[in-house]
Amino acid sequence: MWRARRASNAPLDQSGVWRYREAIAFLDDYAGVVTLREGNTPLLPAPGAAAYGGLDALAFKHQGFNPTGSFKDNGMTCGVAQAKRLGVKRVACVSTGNTSASMAAYASAAGLQPIIFIPHGNISFGKLAQALEYGARTLQVEANFDQILALVRQLAEKLGIYLLNSINPFRIEGQKTIMVELMDQRDWRVPDWIVLPGGNLGNVSAFGKGLREMRELGLIDRLPRLAVIQAAGAAPFYNLYRAASRDRLNAVVHPETLATAIKIGDPVSWPKALYEITTSGGTVEKVTEQEIADAKAIIGRCGIGCEPASAATLAGIRKLTAAGVIAAEADVVAVLTGNLLKDPDYIHRYHTGTLEALDGSKIASNFGNPPEVVPAEADRIAAVLER
Ligand code: F0G
């Protein structure tokens, strides 16, 4: 990280406006841009999800439309461009799956060697498949995300590998553009709330920074409130936010959730995230495995779909409206962070009533839509469809 900062020309001690201009202009030459055409993701109104969430209206900013299917691409274009600018040959990340998929694609596209570290057996197959296909050297470590990150932070320095986790400031700069796009799509009308899932908390840090800078630039006149939703089994930031003192985050040593993307117990960006939540007058909520699974099926029925972590947003909105924190008539945008096809195994299990939480408890298939097996006979198929 420090290497990146020194190598960039971005002055760290001047006004936010200046910093913003510097941040987007960090490349000396636009030939250095590394892009797979990320961004410009749609803002999709979802009346069915709004009703489920206790709102009059709700729109999803769907990051699953990005080239590798998650919001990570918005940051990776910047992070990998900076890696190339520094002249490094190898880049690495620790990931719950999406960062590694994105980094593998962007690094390979830029001619760099991607090395990824993932928790063995704990990322969805869709994401692992992407990393393999995009040519990443893939190391499955027998530890959880937090333990591997601590390990790799030491290793990267020793081996001279450029680290592309969300502690990398260039990735955060790139992820800010999700908010710029959103405001542009809304004609610079600020929503009351922006709701997003929280894992390592890089994204909420990026959103908060981007929003504050847009306000400083006069592009928007106020800040929306940011609501971060965590999975109940991996909710250290929720615990911190609700604690009497917010000085120190107590890590969750064994984070547990089927939403593997946010299965993180010791989020590195918590101080920045806490600053953005408090500055925006936002909040933090947590949701159960059942709530995530049901909300996900509802988003699916809107014809939109997403991966489990993303669905925490709608589950959180439902809780926050029920508690009176978000008003029914509030103008709310939820960010769907990843594509439905990232984790098809979870979906199949939910709809066939075989999804189980990590403690072995069964998740009810409340909005299940199981496939039906039919014989290859026209009459019998017709009879099934007329039932
Ligand atoms: N949603 C999805 C789909 C994610 O992949 C992640 C993070 C998050 C939400 C949480 O974002 O960490 O910025 O708070 N995935 C990381 C990864 C950790 O390695 O792919 P965050």
Side-chain angles (χ1 to χ4, degrees):
M1 177 171 93
W2 294 111
R3 198 166 154 202
R5 280 207 176 146
R6 271 205 309 278
S8 93
N9 296 320
L12 298 168
D13 53 353
Q14 296 187 34
S15 82
V17 175
W18 178 244
R19 240 186 2 247
Y20 184 75
R21 289 194 186 130
E22 281 295 301
I24 54 176
F26 73 91
L27 290 174
D28 318 298
D29 175 353
Y30 282 116
V33 170
V34 178
T35 182
L36 293 169
R37 300 297 166 207
E38 57 292 326
N40 287 320
T41 57
L43 185 60
L44 305 167
Y52 181 81
L55 292 171
D56 297 343
L58 173 64
F60 289 118
K61 173 76 173 154
H62 204 329
Q63 295 306 105
F65 281 66
N66 272 307
T68 78
S70 86
F71 71 96
K72 306 290 181 180
D73 295 344
N74 294 72
M76 212 51 80
T77 173
C78 289
V80 171
Q82 172 64 2
K84 237 182 111 178
R85 179 168 174 255
L86 293 172
V88 301
K89 299 277 176 283
R90 297 193 293 179
V91 289
C93 71
V94 183
S95 178
T96 56
N98 279 322
T99 299
S100 51
S102 181
M103 194 204 75
Y106 282 79
S108 289
L112 306 178
Q113 161 83 71
I115 305 170
I116 68 169
F117 298 84
I118 49 176
H120 186 39
N122 264 308
I123 78 167
S124 74
F125 232 61
K127 298 172 191 176
L128 175 58
Q130 285 181 291
L132 301 179
E133 191 83 352
Y134 295 138
R137 183 95 190 259
T138 303
L139 305 180
Q140 307 196 81
V141 188
E142 281 165 341
N144 70 28
F145 176 90
D146 308 299
Q147 296 160 328
I148 309 172
L149 183 56
L151 203 81
V152 170
R153 281 174 86 165
Q154 294 171 13
L155 212 67
E157 204 148 315
K158 207 163 155 191
L159 300 178
I161 298 172
Y162 189 63
L163 198 56
L164 277 168
N165 268 85
S166 62
I167 42 175
N168 182 304
F170 289 87
R171 285 206 31 221
I172 297 298
E173 293 305 303
Q175 281 171 218
K176 288 190 321 196
T177 61
I178 299 167
M179 288 297 103
V180 181
E181 265 179 53
L182 171 67
M183 292 307 160
D184 188 22
Q185 283 166 315
R186 291 175 49 98
D187 243 342
W188 309 95
R189 277 180 306 103
V190 180
D192 297 320
W193 287 92
I194 292 174
V195 185
L196 72 159
N200 220 13
L201 305 172
N203 211 23
V204 64
S205 313
F207 285 10
K209 185 169 190 275
L211 290 161
R212 283 187 291 106
E213 290 175 1
M214 277 190 277
R215 189 178 58 174
E216 284 164 24
L217 285 165
L219 292 170
I220 56 175
D221 54 7
R222 64 185 174 94
L223 295 178
R225 301 169 77 177
L226 293 169
V228 165
I229 318 297
Q230 295 210 289
F237 190 54
Y238 169 86
N239 296 339
L240 171 84
Y241 188 74
R242 302 290 154 127
S245 156
R246 295 175 181 161
D247 294 344
R248 204 169 63 88
L249 177 130
N250 290 315
V252 171
V253 182
H254 298 293
E256 300 260 303
T257 173
L258 297 176
T260 49
I262 51 173
K263 190 174 171 178
I264 294 176
D266 194 7
V268 284
S269 296
W270 73 263
K272 285 194 252 175
L274 184 61
Y275 177 76
E276 302 303 349
I277 293 288
T278 25
T279 308
S280 75
T283 193
V284 185
E285 189 50 274
K286 66 174 178 183
V287 289
T288 65
E289 297 296 294
Q290 183 71 54
E291 288 168 330
I292 293 174
D294 288 339
K296 193 173 122 54
I298 296 292
I299 297 168
R301 286 195 185 181
C302 296
I304 293 176
C306 63
E307 69 164 280
S310 311
T313 53
L314 180 59
I317 289 169
R318 188 172 158 94
K319 264 184 111 165
L320 291 168
T321 54
V325 178
I326 299 183
E329 59 279 7
D331 183 355
V332 184
V333 174
V335 178
L336 298 180
T337 44
N339 191 288
L340 174 148
L341 292 172
K342 290 279 188 177
D343 198 351
D345 183 56
Y346 178 106
I347 302 175
H348 185 256
R349 284 178 200 268
Y350 177 82
H351 287 289
T352 54
T354 57
L355 190 63
E356 283 181 4
L358 293 167
D359 64 4
S361 62
K362 208 164 150 44
I363 291 177
S365 173
N366 293 328
F367 302 96
N369 178 31
E372 297 166 66
V373 180
V374 293
E377 289 169 37
D379 287 353
R380 288 176 64 186
I381 293 175
V384 166
L385 290 177
E386 269 152 24
R387 257 210 310 266

